[in-house]
Amino acid sequence: MDPRTSGESAPCRRERWGRRPRWVLLVLLLATSASLRPARAAGDDLVVSVYQGVCREGDFAANLATARTVVEEAHARGSHFVALPECFLSGYESVEAVQRGARPLDDPELAGFIEESASHEMVVLVGLARKAKDGLYNSVLVIARGRLLGVYDKVMLTGGDREVLGFKPGTAVPVFSAHGVRFAAIICHDSSFPHAAMVARLQGATLLFSPHNNEIGAEVADGHRLAVRNCHVGLASQLKMVVARANIVKSDREGRIGYGDSFVLSPQGTPIAEAGLFRTELVTARVARSLLETPSAWADDGEVPAWLRTQLAQMLTEFRRPPGDAALKTWLENMIVHHRFAPREVSAATGLTIQEVRDASRRLGLEGAKPEPRRPEEPLLVLPYPGGRHPRIGFLDGAVMPQRETKLSVFTPWDDASYVVVDVPEAVFSNLGLIYLAHTHVPMIWDAKGVALPRLEWRRDEDGSFHGERTLPNGIAFGADVAPSPSGVRMGLWLRNGTDERLTGLRVQNCVMLAGARGFAAQTNANKVFRAPYAAARSQDGRRWVVTAWEPNQRCWGNPDCPCLHSDPQFPDCEPGETVRLRGWLSFYEGDDLDGELERIDQSGWRE
C-alpha cells in the first residue's frame, strides 16, 4: 500500500491539514502553478482540465469562490473544458452538509456563476446537490457561454446516496457538443458500471467526464483507488473515449481520507495527465484531436457483427417488468417465496434494481415470507418459471436467453424449495426446418428471415392448470396444457397446421431440467433410467426419483451436462387445417421399486 494511503500515515496528514487553512493551500497552488503553467495549446489540440481539491462541506459560498478561482486558472491555461468534483458546490459528507449546500437551478448566486461563463469560451462542469420540485439530485451542471447547457443526474446511486443523503436517481444520459467534440458526464459510482458510459458513447460522445467525491476508510483506500482507476481505464480503452476524472482530497475526519488520484486518460487507457495523491492541483492535459477521431489501432466498434450486437441488446433487455402491484406481488411471491431467488436474480428477471426489489418486498409484505405447507391431498405446486436464474448448470452455450413462456417449475412433494423445470416444448422440428426453439442456440427458420417471435406468458386457470399458445408467422399454431394433481402432472401438446402444405417430421423436444432439485444435480447419466416412453432420474441418496414420459415417443435420453431428462415425442404428419396431439406425464416417487412405480403410472391413464 502507498504510505500516503495507509491508516498509519493518515493522522500526519490530518495534522498538516489542520494547521494550514484550506484557502492558503489554494493560494499556494495557484502561486506555484504560475511557473508550471503550460502555454495555450498549439495547433488544434483540445485542452482538458480537472480540479482536485478540498470541498468545504455545506459551504456553498466558499466552494463557489474556489470554483471561480479554478475557472480563472483553467482559462489562463487555455482550457476548453474544466471539471470539478462531485457535489463540489454543496458538499457530500453528510445529510446536514448536503442540505445546507444544496441549491436549485434558479438560485441567484448560482445564476451569477453561470452568467460569468459568458466572458470565456470554456465549458465548465461542476457538481451540485440540486434541489428540484420532485426531490434532490446529485448533479453535474454543464455550463458554457453564459448559460446552462444541461444537467446530468447521477443514475447509479449508492446506498448512502439514496438512503442517507436522500438523492433520487437520474433517468437520462445527455450528450453535449462544444469545441468540435461530443462529450458527456457520469458521476462516481456510475463508473463502476459500463452502462451509462456506453449510452454516452453510442450517442457519439468521445470525451467523458467523471467527477467523484471519494472519502474512504483509510484501511481500504488503496484497494478502492486501484479499483476505481481500473474501472476508468476499462471505460477509456473499451469505449475508446478520453476519460477525465476529478476527485476531492480530504483528511479531516478520523479514519477517513479523500485521496484524489484525478487524471485524464487516453482512449488506450494511459494517463495523459494525472494529479497524484493528496495534492490540491489543477491537472491540465493537451489531447490531440486525432485521439478522438481515429479508432484504436487494435479494434474498431464497426467490426462487431450484427448478430452479436443484437444478442447483447436482447440480453440487456431480457427482463420482463410486471405491470402494476398485483402482477408484481404475484411474480415476487413466485421468485422470492417459492424459488428462493436472491435480489440480484429478481432484478435480472424483472428489470427492477436490487433496492427496488427490497423495497417492493417490504411494501408488499413478502419480506421473510415462507410458502404454505402443501397437504398430501393437494395438487403438486406448479408455477411459471420466472427467468433470472438459468435452469441449467452446464451446456449454457446451448441455451442462451432461455424463454420463460414454455417453462414451468414443478415443486417436489418432499422439499418445498426443490423443483424441476419443464420446458414444453423446448423445440419443434418439421420438414420445413426448426420452426421453434425456446432459447437462442441453433437458428430457427425465422432467424434466417429476420423475423422475431413475440414474448408470451402462460395463462393460469383457477384450478391451477396452465395453458400456452403460439401462432408462428406461417400460420402454424401450437400450444401446451399442463394440469397438476396430487400424484403427478398431466401434460399435453397440440399443433394445428395453418399452412397449405402437409407437415411431416414433427419431432418435439421436451426437457426436464434437474438443477433446481436438491440431490438431482449430478452431471451424469449414471443415475438415469431410459425405458421408453419413460425417462427417470434418481437422487444422490438413491431414495427418490423424477419420472417423465411422452407419447407417441421417438426417443428417451439425457444430457449429463445440463443435467436433464428427455422423453421426446413426435406428432403424426399433419394435413392443412388439421390438429394433432401428444400426451405427457411428470411425477415424483420415493422408494426403491421403480419398476412397480412405472407400472402404477402406466395404469393411471395418463395417455388418455
Side-chain angles (χ1 to χ4, degrees), residues 9 11 29 89 96 106 109 121 128 172-173 212 256 264 275 307 316 342 380 410 432 447 452 487 491 537 606:
S9 64
L29 160 70
L89 293 180
E96 293 79 14
D106 60 359
E109 290 181 280
E121 295 189 352
L128 173 72
V173 182
H212 285 233
R256 301 187 68 81
V264 180
W307 71 263
L316 287 171
L380 293 171
V410 184
L432 304 178
D447 296 321
S487 60
M491 299 178 286
W606 67 269

Side-chain angles (χ1 to χ4, degrees), residues 589-600:
Y589 170 61
E590 291 188 83
D592 54 11
D593 184 11
L594 180 63
D595 291 340
E597 176 64 10
L598 296 183
E599 184 176 344
R600 184 197 69 78

Side-chain angles (χ1 to χ4, degrees), residues 185-199:
I186 58 176
I187 300 175
C188 198
H189 195 45
D190 288 328
S191 66
S192 299
F193 309 85
H195 303 75
M198 185 178 293
V199 168

Side-chain angles (χ1 to χ4, degrees), residues 473-554:
N474 63 355
I476 297 174
F478 64 87
D481 302 295
V482 177
S485 71
S487 60
V489 179
R490 291 175 181 258
M491 299 178 286
L493 277 172
W494 58 266
L495 183 144
R496 182 173 61 250
N497 185 358
T499 74
D500 297 329
E501 301 177 8
R502 186 171 187 251
L503 296 176
T504 62
L506 291 166
R507 295 182 295 110
V508 177
Q509 283 188 193
N510 292 323
C511 184
V512 178
M513 289 168 277
L514 304 169
R518 292 173 185 167
F520 290 88
Q523 292 176 287
T524 178
N525 276 345
N527 66 343
K528 298 177 178 64
V529 172
F530 303 112
R531 193 179 304 162
Y534 295 102
R538 185 182 65 247
S539 63
Q540 188 173 1
D541 61 13
R543 297 187 297 109
R544 292 166 175 155
W545 293 84
V546 177
V547 181
T548 189
W550 281 88
E551 281 202 338
N553 187 271
Q554 54 100 7

Side-chain angles (χ1 to χ4, degrees), residues 109-121:
E109 290 181 280
L110 182 60
F113 179 69
I114 293 171
E115 290 171 5
E116 290 165 12
S117 67
S119 64
H120 56 75
E121 295 189 352

Side-chain angles (χ1 to χ4, degrees), residues 88-101:
F88 184 78
L89 293 180
S90 50
Y92 187 65
E93 176 181 284
S94 64
V95 64
E96 293 79 14
V98 167
Q99 290 296 331
R100 285 199 310 272

Side-chain angles (χ1 to χ4, degrees), residues 18 34 45 47 100 113 168 202 251 317 355 512 576 597:
D45 286 353
V47 183
R100 285 199 310 272
F113 179 69
K168 297 185 68 173
L202 291 174
S251 58
T317 56
Q355 188 59 43
V512 178
E597 176 64 10

